[in-house]
Amino acid sequence: MKTVEISELASLWENYGKSEQPLVLTRNGQPVAALFPIEDIDMETLSLSVNPKFNQIIEQSRKSQKEEGRVFLDDIPLPPET
């Protein structure tokens, strides 16, 4: 993974499409964003991959599977319907 200061982004933007690795943008050395190609990713997958509630459900499911060898839907707190 490559790390780039935001101030340097303009010069790298032209050639970014030629690189498949994620690009971490930093400000004063601190990461603030990530840039990665999404050509073969549908919007639903992208949305879920950055959804904290969804990631929490997946993590809880993995933990249950590892510790107890099973996963039951009733054990996973689902967000309220809106």
Side-chain angles (χ1 to χ4, degrees):
M1 187 175 323
K2 187 172 185 172
T3 302
V4 176
E5 272 294 316
I6 289 177
S7 60
E8 300 172 26
L9 185 59
S11 64
L12 294 172
W13 186 253
E14 256 182 63
N15 298 319
Y16 178 71
K18 298 173 184 169
S19 170
E20 298 224 359
Q21 70 177 7
L23 188 62
V24 176
L25 306 179
T26 61
R27 183 178 291 126
N28 300 321
Q30 298 299 314
V32 294
L35 180 66
F36 54 94
I38 59 169
E39 287 179 326
D40 296 324
I41 300 174
D42 61 83
M43 291 306 291
E44 182 180 25
T45 300
L46 178 61
S47 178
L48 287 173
S49 71
V50 296
N51 182 308
K53 288 181 182 180
F54 179 77
N55 286 319
Q56 182 181 17
I57 291 169
I58 295 299
E59 185 59 35
Q60 184 178 359
S61 175
R62 288 178 179 153
K63 182 180 176 185
S64 176
Q65 176 64 33
K66 184 178 180 180
E67 291 175 357
E68 302 171 26
R70 61 171 173 74
V71 178
F72 294 112
L73 184 57
D74 293 339
D75 295 338
I76 299 173
L78 298 176
E81 291 187 32
T82 57

